[in-house]
């Protein structure tokens, strides 16, 4: 049987673009369909615009620090429209690079939505049917609104980069990394931020001490964080709400409309599980993401999906239909760009290079770009001590740059060490540039370095990271 292509990739995000390019480099005839913008979540509405907003939000503190260091500077107001214009110019540039990379690799691009007709055929939204020997689904995921009355009045991370103006106040709902990062970003940009999380502490799954220090740091910087709290109900304000004590929102042109007078009002009335009622300019939900598997014909052709809609794959990213593979967020394994890229590389090794390759999910370093930032690799103290006896080396201190500037920010460096093998099982850093640090220390931890290997490494002085190699005694054994 002959096919139009050797490989048809659905989705032009981190995983799909990499798989298409690398497969094409083996001489395979490759096509890719993207329904929105090339680059996917990471480039268009995830990692990249978020990190640029993290940078933007840091300048107010830097201005204060500059004064403390003797500079005669004053920071004016943040100009959101100016930043947003520049941001989108940069995203357009990056999208252009992705398109060029694909076309230079001879990957044919279809700007269309694709669904599956059978094990070797995709149907495009243009009506065209295309056949391929292998199909790779890399359609990622999307934010979902929770099942709360009035939730449709809220926005998600997708909308935040497109706002016409920055809200004066925002309620961010969620305790994961996206919610917590945007709480820090918007707080830094001068928005009055309240964050609700229904759990006992933000950043579930990360090391408890690290989570605690991040939450404390966020509060110190001005985020009004409420734990064990959720929204009961939200709606457009009534005129009575607007004149009620402690609740005032300017009546301006905008959405939604007052439920009592029908006049346009700005703001959303929210009732919380703690009984508080308040009006916020915006409510942003970062309470969950769902895989993009709807209306793709997956079930009809036998591609199995899980309870949350994620595509079920084996260790080689193969679905229950042998000619169809899936990688990245749509499989709900580890939802990070570098993981989607590695799954793409392993897929190409397996299918196009005759070298069956499983992806390695052990010891994945990652960063949370909260303020303060968190870098992490390996097991948390809580996970490790459930497995074997461990020693905990941990230090928390005020770094010299912050101490000089009179800031209260503290840094934490923590190593979780196996008592038996002496291997470093986990490393957790809360500090400026923790993401950069964890990338480097992650190499040693991934290689299986022991605590004594760390100790043998000469400190780089004066740095924050030198503490990682100078911690003498464990703070506790567990
Ligand atoms: P995606 O990048 O989501 O790409 C999927 C593409 O498929 C999309 O372009 C979509 O339009 C397209 N598509 C969907 N359905 C169809 C269809 N039927 N036909 C055609 N095209 C279709 N990760 C990190 O590593 N570091 C970070 O700092 C980070 N920050 C993030 C911040 C936010 C706000 C978000 C939302 C995510 C962040 N991530 C981060 C996660 C990261 O963006 C994802 O893990 C990564 O983009 C997954 O890549 P993917 O290829 O699986 O899917």
């Amino acid at each position: 049987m002959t096919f139009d292509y050797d490989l048809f990739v659905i989705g032009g995000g981190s995983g799909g673009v990499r798989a298409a390019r690398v497969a094409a480099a083996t001489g395979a005839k490759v096509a890719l369909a993207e329904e929105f913008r090339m680059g996917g979540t990471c480039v268009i509405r995830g990692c990249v615009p978020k990190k640029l907003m993290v940078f933007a939000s840091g300048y107010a503190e830097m201005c204060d620090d500059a004064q403390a260091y003797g500079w005669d500077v004053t920071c004016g107001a943040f100009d959101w429209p100016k930043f947003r214009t520049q941001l989108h110019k940069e995203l357009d540039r990056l999208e252009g690079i992705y398109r060029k990379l694909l076309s230079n690799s001879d990957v044919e691009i279809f700007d269309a939505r694709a669904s599956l007709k059978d094990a070797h055929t995709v149907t495009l939204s243009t009506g065209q049917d295309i056949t391929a020997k292998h199909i790779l689904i890399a359609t990622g995921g999307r934010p979902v609104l929770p099942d709360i009355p009035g939730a449709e009045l809220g926005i998600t991370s997708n909308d935040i980069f497109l706002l016409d103006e920055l809200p004066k106040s925002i309620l961010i709902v969620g305790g994961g990394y996206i919610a917590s990062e945007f709480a820090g970003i918007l707080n830094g940009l001068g928005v009055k931020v309240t964050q609700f999380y229904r759990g006992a502490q933000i950043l579930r799954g990360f090391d408890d001490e690290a989570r605690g220090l991040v939450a404390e740091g966020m509060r110190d910087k001005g985020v009004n964080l409420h734990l064990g709290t959720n929204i009961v109900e939200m709606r457009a304000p009534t005129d009575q709400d607007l004149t009620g004590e402690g609740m005032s929102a300017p009546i301006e042109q905008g959405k939604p409309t007052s439920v009592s007078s029908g006049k346009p009002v700005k703001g959303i009335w929210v009732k919380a599980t703690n009984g508080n009622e308040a009006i916020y300019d915006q409510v942003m939900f970062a309470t969950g993401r769902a895989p993009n598997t709807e209306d793709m014909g997956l079930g009809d052709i036998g591609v199995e999906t899980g309870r949350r809609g994620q595509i079920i794959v084996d260790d080689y990213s193969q679905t229950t239909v042998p000619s169809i593979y899936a990688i990245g967020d749509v499989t709900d394994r580890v939802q990070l760009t570098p993981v989607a890229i590695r799954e793409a590389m392993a897929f190409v090794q397996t299918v196009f290079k005759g070298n069956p390759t499983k992806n390695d999910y052990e010891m994945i370093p990652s960063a949370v770009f909260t303020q303060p930032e968190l870098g992490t690799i390996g097991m948390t103290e809580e996970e490790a001590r459930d497995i074997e006896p461990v020693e905990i080396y941990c230090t928390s201190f005020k770094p010299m740059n912050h101490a000089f500037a009179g800031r209260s920010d503290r840094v934490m460096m923590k190593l979780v060490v196996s008592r038996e093998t002496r291997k470093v099982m986990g490393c957790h850093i809360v500090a400026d540039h923790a993401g950069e640090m964890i990338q480097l220390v992650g190499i040693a931890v991934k290689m299986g370095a022991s605590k004594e290997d760390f100790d043998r490494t000469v400190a780089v002085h004066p740095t924050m990271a030198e503490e990682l190699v100078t911690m003498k005694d464990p703070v506790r054994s567990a």
Side-chain angles (χ1 to χ4, degrees):
M1 189 169 171
T2 55
F3 299 102
D4 298 329
Y5 294 94
D6 298 314
L7 173 65
F8 194 97
V9 179
I10 307 178
S14 310
V17 169
R18 177 61 66 95
R21 281 176 50 210
V22 183
T26 67
K29 193 175 174 208
V30 181
L32 181 148
E34 168 54 55
E35 68 170 344
F36 181 53
R37 292 184 63 181
M38 204 62 77
T41 304
C42 181
V43 177
I44 305 298
R45 44 199 184 188
C47 335
V48 173
K50 172 201 75 186
K51 190 79 190 278
L52 289 168
M53 284 181 76
V54 170
F55 290 140
S57 69
Y59 281 95
E61 266 190 354
M62 275 189 230
C63 238
D64 292 344
D65 285 1
Q67 287 173 0
Y69 277 86
W71 289 93
D72 178 16
V73 286
T74 41
C75 229
F78 177 66
D79 185 342
W80 167 255
K82 183 175 176 186
F83 170 77
R84 199 197 48 193
T85 305
Q86 199 57 30
L87 174 70
H88 288 282
K89 223 164 110 185
E90 178 63 2
L91 301 185
D92 292 346
R93 187 182 75 82
L94 293 173
E95 183 179 6
I97 290 175
Y98 271 75
R99 282 188 177 274
K100 210 180 225 154
L101 283 171
L102 286 171
S103 47
N104 287 352
S105 309
D106 292 328
V107 174
E108 188 155 351
I109 299 172
F110 293 92
D111 287 300
R113 179 173 169 78
S115 57
L116 291 140
K117 188 171 183 181
D118 62 43
H120 293 284
T121 312
V122 297
T123 301
L124 298 183
S125 45
T126 54
Q128 195 179 352
D129 278 355
I130 296 173
T131 61
K133 187 171 181 201
H134 303 284
I135 295 170
L136 179 67
I137 305 172
T139 49
R142 63 181 187 288
V144 284
L145 293 176
D147 192 12
I148 290 172
E152 68 284 354
L153 296 174
I155 59 171
T156 68
S157 60
N158 278 358
D159 307 303
I160 210 97
F161 309 111
L162 304 168
L163 292 173
D164 287 335
E165 58 186 52
L166 272 190
K168 292 204 168 40
S169 65
I170 192 165
L171 169 64
I172 297 182
V173 187
Y177 82 90
I178 295 176
S180 306
E181 287 177 343
F182 278 104
I185 290 169
L186 293 168
N187 180 58
L189 295 179
V191 179
K192 197 163 178 281
V193 177
T194 305
Q195 185 179 357
F196 284 0
Y197 177 50
R198 64 181 180 180
Q201 184 55 284
I202 57 167
L203 300 175
R204 187 160 61 91
F206 292 90
D207 185 85
D208 275 357
E209 267 177 324
R211 300 160 74 192
L213 190 59
V214 171
E216 206 178 297
M218 286 172 61
R219 282 195 171 114
D220 278 354
K221 288 177 194 294
V223 174
N224 186 9
L225 174 62
H226 292 267
L227 299 171
T229 309
N230 206 347
I231 294 181
V232 178
E233 184 194 348
M234 54 194 271
R235 56 165 168 74
T238 61
D239 293 337
Q240 206 180 2
D241 294 330
L242 294 168
T243 51
E245 211 176 305
M247 289 196 281
S248 63
I251 298 189
E252 291 170 14
Q253 281 305 110
K255 287 179 185 172
T257 311
S258 158
V259 289
S260 53
S261 72
K263 281 188 207 147
V265 296
K266 214 178 162 205
I268 300 166
W269 174 90
V270 171
K271 182 167 184 188
T273 47
N274 60 13
N276 287 350
E277 295 174 27
I279 293 172
Y280 302 92
D281 272 358
Q282 292 276 10
V283 175
M284 173 185 156
F285 289 103
T287 44
R289 293 180 64 80
N292 285 326
T293 48
E294 275 170 7
D295 304 324
M296 285 189 67
L298 296 173
D300 300 341
I301 64 162
V303 174
E304 193 188 340
T305 51
R307 201 170 47 84
R308 294 178 307 283
Q310 79 278 19
I311 298 180
I312 308 292
V313 289
D314 67 10
D315 288 347
Y316 301 95
S317 296
Q318 192 171 30
T319 72
T320 41
V321 174
S323 57
I324 301 178
Y325 289 72
I327 55 166
D329 284 8
V330 76
T331 61
D332 196 16
R333 287 176 280 184
V334 178
Q335 299 199 12
L336 290 171
T337 279
V339 176
I341 288 173
R342 285 188 165 244
E343 288 169 354
M345 304 295 277
F347 159 76
V348 174
Q349 282 290 334
T350 302
V351 176
F352 291 94
K353 295 193 174 176
N355 175 27
T357 304
K358 292 182 187 178
N359 200 34
D360 177 3
Y361 296 95
E362 290 291 310
M363 294 280 184
I364 297 172
S366 68
V368 179
F369 297 101
T370 35
Q371 298 170 30
E373 194 169 307
L374 165 63
T376 184
I377 183 168
M379 287 190 198
T380 65
E381 176 178 345
E382 297 71 39
E383 287 166 342
R385 72 180 181 214
D386 277 352
I387 293 177
E388 60 177 272
V390 288
E391 281 181 355
I392 305 301
Y393 296 80
C394 188
T395 177
S396 177
F397 56 97
K398 219 187 246 191
M400 68 194 289
N401 58 337
H402 292 172
F404 186 90
R407 280 213 253 150
S408 59
D409 306 41
R410 294 188 75 79
V411 155
M412 188 195 91
M413 308 266 166
K414 178 170 178 176
L415 296 176
V416 180
V417 177
S418 161
R419 269 183 18 215
E420 192 193 338
T421 66
R422 305 298 300 151
K423 274 191 183 172
V424 176
M425 301 166 74
C427 175
H428 311 281
I429 301 173
V430 178
D432 288 351
H433 311 296
E436 305 289 345
M437 288 189 232
I438 208 71
Q439 179 68 83
L440 300 178
V441 77
I443 300 169
V445 177
K446 174 83 180 160
M447 286 174 75
S450 65
K451 174 70 173 71
E452 286 63 37
D453 290 325
F454 273 62
D455 295 345
R456 268 194 293 277
T457 308
V458 174
V460 177
H461 184 75
T463 64
M464 290 184 278
E466 67 181 304
E467 298 288 334
L468 284 171
V469 298
T470 53
M471 287 187 280
K472 287 276 167 291
D473 300 311
V475 289
R476 63 187 163 269
S477 296

